[in-house]
Amino acid sequence: MAEISIQVNGRQQKHEAEPRTHLGDFIREKSRLTGTNLSCEHGVCGACTVLVDGRPVRSCITFAGACDGHEVTTVEGYDDDPIMSRLRTAFSEKHALQCGFCTPGMLATSRDIVLRLPDADEARVRIELSGNICRCTGYQGITAAILSVLQALRDQPDAQVDALRAAVVQNVQQDWNQNGFTTFDAVQEDVQAPAPVAAAAPAASGRADKGKGQAIQGGFDARFPADQVWAFMKDLPKVAGCLPGAMIESQEGATVQGKIAIKFGPMSAAFKGNAALEEDNERRAAVLRGEGVDSLSQSRARGDVSFQVNPDGPERSRVEVELVYSLQGPLAQFSRSGLVQDFVRRMIAEFGKNVNLRLEKPLAEGEEPVVAEFNPVKMFFSILWDRFKGLFRRA
Amino acid sequence: MKAAKFEYEQAQSLQQIQDAYGSDPSALRLMGGSQSLGPMLNLRLVRPGRVLDVSAVPELRQVTAIKGHVRIGAAVTHAQIEDGIYELLRGHMMQKVAGRIAYRGVRNRGTLGGSLAHADPAADWVLTCVALGARINVRGTQGSRTVPMSEFMLAAYTTVLEAGEFIESVDVPEVSGSARWGYYKFTRKVGEFADASCACYFDPATRTARVVIGAMEGAPRSLPELAVKVAAQGAAVLEGDTIEAALQPYLAQRDEAHQVLFRTVVERSLKQALGVKG
Ligand SMILES: Cc1cc2nc3c(=O)[nH]c(=O)nc-3n(C[C@H](O)[C@H](O)[C@H](O)COP(=O)(O)OP(=O)(O)OC[C@H]3O[C@@H](n4cnc5c(N)ncnc54)[C@H](O)[C@@H]3O)c2cc1C
Ligand code: FES
Ligand code: FES
C-alpha cells in the first residue's frame, strides 16, 4: 500500500491504494465517483476515458501511482466547463444518449475534439471518436452533437472557449512533400535476405473439430528411416520430450495430462491441459488433439497437430506437420496470425531438431529430458547463424 | 481483469533508473506511458515484481539538435510529437506519423521509447524509425551504446536490450528541405495496429533511399533494391511489376488478400513521396 494524492474534480483525494490500482478503480472505489465506467480494462473501448491535467487518457491502463500529484477531471466534475455545457445540451438534442454507458468517455473525447480541432469536419470527428466504442451504436447522434457544437462556435465565437483553446498547443499545420520528386542516384543499403515464411491458410472445414481455426503447415527432415521415426513419433512421452517447454504429468493409454510453457517477448504463459493421440499405423500418420488453459491469464488454446512420416529413400524421412489451432482470451490479443505462424514455424524446426537428436542419442533408462523454455530469441540467433554459414557455402 | 501485485516507483533521474536495477536487473520492468504494459499487466500476461516509471525523468523528455539529427528523449509522448510542440520536429515525418498512432487518449501517454522497446511488429514507430535510419541510444549499468534501428528489433516483442539497459533517446534525421517520404497503413479500424504498412524515405542530399514494409512476422523488412529504383526512376517505377517483384520473396507464401494489401500500401506510400495523386 502507498498513499496516493490526486486532485479529483478540484478536491484533493488522499487514499491508501495498492500500486497495482489503476486510475479508474482509484476514482470509483477510493473517491467514490462512479460516473466513470470500466469495461474492457485494456485500453480498447474508451469507456473509462477521463482527463488527466486536462487531457483525455484511459484510466484503466493508467496507474493511480503515476497520477500522484496530478489533476483528474471526471464526468462529475464538468459543471463549470464551457465546452461541456454545450456538449450536454447537444447530446440530448441530437439523441446522442441511449443507455449512457459510453457517455462519460464519449464526452471526455468530444470535449477534446471541440477544444483541439475547431475546424474538424465529419470525417475527422469520426476518426477522433474511433477510440470510443458505443454498444448502443449511438455514433450518428454523437457525431451530430459534436459537429453542431463546432458549428455554433464558428458562427458565434465564445470568449471562454477561445481562452481554453489558446491554452492548449494547437496542431501546427504543415505542408508535407510540397515540391516534386527529383530523381537521384541513391546508395543501396545492405540487408539480409528474407527468411522463408510458413504457409498459412484458414483451416478447411472439418479439420478442426470445433470452432474456427488457423492452419499452419510445416515439416522437418529426419536422418532415419520412416518406420523408426514413426515408432518414435507415436510414443507420447518421447514426443513431448522434444517439444520445447512441454512436460507430461500423467498418462493413461493414448491420453496425457501435462503443460507447456511458452515465452513470447515479455509475455509468458503455461498452458495446462490434456492431449490425446489418434494413430493411423498404415499411413504412419497421427493427430494429437490437445487443449489447455493458462491459469494466470485464463487464455484458452486448442489445437490439432497432424503429422505424417513419409520415407525419403531407405535411410531418411520427411515429417509433414500441420497445426490447426484456436486461441481465446488475453493471449489472443497479442497473437495476430503472422506472429503465431512465425512462432509455430520455429517451434516445429526446434522440435525436428530434437527428434533427430533423440533418435541419434536415445535417453538412458530413467533419464528425464531437460525441459527447455521455448526461447524465440535464441532461435532467432540460430537462424541468423545458419544464414551466415549459408553465405560461406554459397561463396 | 486486474494486474497481479507489483511494487511501483517513479524515477526522477537517469541515475535513479540505473540504481534501481541493482544486483538483479531482470526483476525490474520499466514503465513509459503504460499503454502497452498496462494492458499486459491487466491481462496478467506479464507479472513483474517491480515496476519503475521513467516517464517523468527530465532527460528523457527533451528534444535537442545533434549534428544533422534530432535527438528525441525516450519518454516524449506520441501526442507531443503530433502537436508539434517541439520546433525541431515540426513538419517532420515523425509528426505526421504520430497522429496516426492509436487514439488521442493513448497518444497522450504512450512514449516513443516504450513503443520501440515493446517492439510490436505492427507498431508505427518501429517501422518509421527503420525507414528514417534512426539510431537508438541505449544506456545501461555497463555503459552506453548506440544501435541502428535496423538492428535494434530482433523478433516480435524482442529487442537487443539486455537486462539493465534502457532506451535513453532516439536520433532521427533533422527536417530537410530535400527529403521526401510516405507512410501508409491498413487497419480494419482507425487506431488499430496495422494489417499491412509501408514507410519510405528519400533524401537526395544524403543519397538516402529506403522503402520498408511493416506488420510482418518480426521486424520490418527493407526493400533496398526497390528504393534505389524509385530514387533513379521516380514515378515510372509505379508502372509494370517492379513493386510486385520486390515484394515477392516476402509474400510468396502469404494468402492473396495479404499480397494485395502489401502491394497497395507500398504503392500508396510511394505515391505520397513522389507527389503522385491517387
Ligand atoms: C488501444 C490501443 C491501440 C494502440 N494502437 C497502436 C497503433 O495503432 N500503433 C502503434 O504503434 N501503437 C499502438 N498502441 C501502442 C501504444 O502506441 C503504446 O503507447 C506504445 O506501444 C507503448 O508505449 P508506452 O510508453 O506506453 O510503453 P509502456 O507500455 O510503458 O512499456 C512498453 C514496454 O517498453 C518497456 N519500456 C518503456 N520505456 C522504456 C525505455 N525507455 N527503455 C526500455 N524499455 C522501456 C516497458 O518495460 C515495456 O516492456 C496502441 C495501444 C493501445 C492501448
Ligand atoms: S475500460 Fe478503459 S479503455 Fe476500455
Ligand atoms: S449509449 Fe449505450 S453504450 Fe453508448
Side-chain angles (χ1 to χ4, degrees):
Chain A
M1 289 282 193
E3 191 173 73
I4 297 170
S5 171
I6 301 175
Q7 189 166 331
V8 187
N9 301 332
R11 291 168 63 178
Q12 204 62 40
Q13 302 275 342
K14 220 185 238 182
H15 299 289
E16 289 275 309
E18 292 215 46
R20 62 170 160 168
T21 307
H22 59 56
L23 179 61
D25 279 347
F26 184 91
I27 295 166
R28 289 179 57 89
E29 291 170 13
K30 303 289 177 179
S31 303
R32 298 281 173 201
L33 293 166
T34 51
T36 300
N37 291 331
L38 290 165
S39 178
C40 69
E41 286 191 280
H42 57 262
V44 174
C45 74
C48 68
T49 308
V50 299
L51 307 184
V52 174
D53 299 333
R55 296 163 155 261
V57 308
R58 309 314 219 184
S59 64
C60 67
I61 51 172
T62 298
F63 289 92
C67 301
D68 199 9
H70 292 261
E71 284 176 27
V72 172
T73 312
T74 70
V75 71
E76 291 94 340
Y78 293 126
D79 284 359
D80 305 323
D81 187 86
I83 295 178
M84 215 45 110
S85 67
R86 284 166 181 268
L87 281 169
R88 271 197 297 271
T89 316
F91 262 56
S92 60
E93 275 172 3
K94 302 287 178 188
H95 309 293
L97 293 150
Q98 296 180 57
C99 78
F101 187 82
C102 68
T103 311
M106 283 289 182
L107 283 169
T109 301
S110 303
R111 180 185 184 277
D112 183 60
I113 298 172
V114 173
L115 186 61
R116 277 192 311 120
L117 307 163
D119 302 319
D121 58 5
E122 183 180 337
R124 184 67 194 263
V125 167
R126 285 185 182 273
I127 287 174
E128 295 291 326
L129 271 182
S130 63
N132 291 71
I133 293 171
C134 173
R135 61 186 180 182
C136 302
T137 68
Y139 303 108
Q140 202 65 41
I142 297 167
T143 308
I146 298 170
L147 285 170
S148 76
V149 171
L150 284 170
Q151 191 57 50
L153 287 170
R154 281 194 291 264
D155 291 345
Q156 204 160 33
D158 174 326
Q160 271 185 301
V161 175
D162 286 344
L164 283 175
R165 282 177 171 167
V168 297
V169 187
Q170 294 292 313
N171 242 328
V172 182
Q173 290 299 321
Q174 288 287 344
D175 287 320
W176 278 279
N177 296 330
Q178 267 173 315
N179 314 318
F181 188 88
T182 328
T183 55
F184 64 100
D185 183 19
V187 183
Q188 186 173 323
E189 298 193 331
D190 276 349
V191 286
Q192 293 144 3
V197 179
S205 56
R207 262 196 245 154
D209 52 358
K210 251 187 234 158
K212 283 192 305 227
Q214 280 281 324
I216 298 169
Q217 279 108 27
F220 60 91
D221 295 311
R223 301 182 293 269
F224 298 88
D227 286 327
Q228 194 182 341
V229 176
W230 172 238
F232 182 89
M233 293 284 294
K234 60 182 182 174
D235 184 333
L236 262 179
K238 280 190 181 154
V239 172
C242 295
L243 213 55
M247 230 175 81
I248 287 189
E249 282 160 348
S250 70
Q251 180 174 16
E252 227 174 279
T255 304
V256 287
Q257 301 269 328
K259 63 179 178 202
I260 181 156
I262 52 178
K263 204 165 151 39
F264 197 36
M267 292 158 261
S268 50
F271 288 96
K272 238 175 128 89
N274 53 60
L277 193 70
E278 291 167 19
E279 308 165 15
D280 176 349
N281 269 309
E282 219 162 290
R283 286 174 55 231
R284 291 195 206 87
V287 188
L288 181 69
R289 296 183 198 281
E291 55 189 338
V293 180
D294 172 33
S295 60
L296 283 155
S297 73
Q298 296 299 324
S299 303
R300 287 184 304 284
R302 45 182 306 134
D304 294 352
V305 190
S306 318
F307 54 86
Q308 180 162 20
V309 185
N310 295 318
D312 179 16
E315 291 305 318
R316 297 175 59 86
S317 49
R318 167 91 191 153
V319 183
E320 301 292 350
V321 182
E322 184 185 53
L323 171 72
V324 179
Y325 74 93
S326 65
L327 200 56
Q328 286 174 307
L331 203 60
Q333 318 226 6
F334 289 87
S335 57
R336 289 183 295 277
S337 72
L339 305 186
V340 179
Q341 281 160 41
D342 194 44
F343 183 80
V344 171
R345 186 170 54 80
R346 290 168 198 212
M347 190 114 158
I348 293 174
E350 187 81 343
F351 177 68
K353 234 169 49 198
N354 289 340
V355 169
N356 274 308
L357 198 76
R358 282 291 151 253
L359 280 163
E360 227 151 40
K361 232 175 80 166
L363 289 175
E365 197 64 34
E367 186 184 347
E368 292 283 327
V370 184
V371 183
E373 201 177 54
F374 181 66
N375 184 340
V377 188
K378 225 170 72 198
M379 208 160 281
F380 174 82
F381 281 115
S382 83
I383 290 171
L384 260 192
W385 176 237
D386 286 347
R387 238 186 254 161
F388 183 69
K389 284 189 298 192
L391 273 181
F392 284 96
R393 263 204 298 279
R394 247 179 280 151
Chain B
M1 212 166 18
K2 313 290 177 191
K5 276 194 179 181
F6 57 81
E7 284 171 37
Y8 171 92
E9 301 152 75
Q10 236 171 6
Q12 301 300 333
S13 68
L14 293 180
Q15 192 57 47
Q16 269 181 27
I17 305 178
Q18 267 166 308
D19 294 347
Y21 278 118
S23 56
D24 183 9
S26 57
L28 185 74
R29 186 157 280 279
L30 298 194
M31 180 185 279
S34 73
Q35 301 301 287
S36 292
L37 189 58
M40 289 191 299
L41 285 167
N42 287 353
L43 295 168
R44 299 205 172 186
L45 289 169
V46 290
R47 301 177 280 268
R50 281 171 69 212
V51 168
L52 182 69
D53 188 336
V54 299
S55 63
V57 174
E59 290 92 329
L60 300 184
R61 305 202 62 124
Q62 287 170 358
V63 172
T64 49
I66 302 281
K67 279 188 283 182
H69 282 75
V70 185
R71 176 159 290 178
I72 312 170
V76 169
T77 66
H78 313 330
Q80 287 173 327
I81 297 175
E82 173 188 19
D83 287 353
I85 66 166
Y86 300 105
E87 173 120 39
L88 289 164
L89 288 171
R90 282 187 205 151
H92 198 281
M93 180 177 182
M94 297 285 284
Q95 190 186 2
K96 186 76 179 219
V97 172
R100 298 284 194 280
I101 301 173
Y103 317 106
R104 183 70 183 185
V106 172
R107 296 200 289 275
N108 275 330
R109 290 191 49 81
T111 69
L112 173 61
S115 177
L116 294 178
H118 183 57
D120 188 302
D124 297 277
W125 287 141
V126 165
L127 176 62
T128 306
C129 286
V130 176
L132 285 169
R135 302 185 304 234
I136 314 300
N137 300 308
V138 173
R139 195 179 169 113
T141 37
Q142 308 294 320
S144 301
R145 58 179 175 138
T146 296
V147 186
M149 183 59 204
S150 56
E151 291 166 24
F152 180 76
M153 178 172 165
L154 296 176
Y157 309 117
T158 311
T159 68
V160 297
L161 288 177
E162 311 257 1
E165 281 189 327
F166 62 95
I167 301 177
E168 183 176 357
S169 61
V170 179
D171 296 346
V172 297
E174 66 181 8
V175 182
S176 126
S178 58
R180 296 287 172 271
W181 51 265
Y183 189 83
Y184 201 89
K185 71 166 173 174
F186 259 123
T187 52
R188 271 199 11 246
K189 164 172 169 265
V190 176
E192 276 186 346
F193 279 100
D195 291 324
S197 54
C198 177
C200 61
Y201 185 78
F202 301 92
D203 192 353
T206 52
R207 295 182 63 203
T208 307
R210 283 191 210 94
V211 179
V212 189
I213 49 174
M216 306 293 290
E217 291 73 20
R221 297 290 201 171
S222 234
L223 310 173
E225 286 170 26
L226 176 64
V228 169
K229 276 187 199 149
V230 177
Q233 301 169 15
V237 95
L238 298 170
E239 314 290 326
D241 58 1
T242 316
I243 295 176
E244 198 97 45
L247 284 171
Q248 215 279 333
Y250 301 91
L251 299 177
Q253 283 161 313
R254 287 221 180 196
D255 57 40
E256 221 169 301
H258 266 112
Q259 300 191 0
V260 175
L261 287 187
F262 273 97
R263 198 186 322 128
T264 310
V265 291
V266 173
E267 245 170 51
R268 292 190 183 171
S269 156
L270 288 178
K271 279 181 174 171
Q272 284 175 22
L274 292 162
V276 177
K277 292 264 174 294

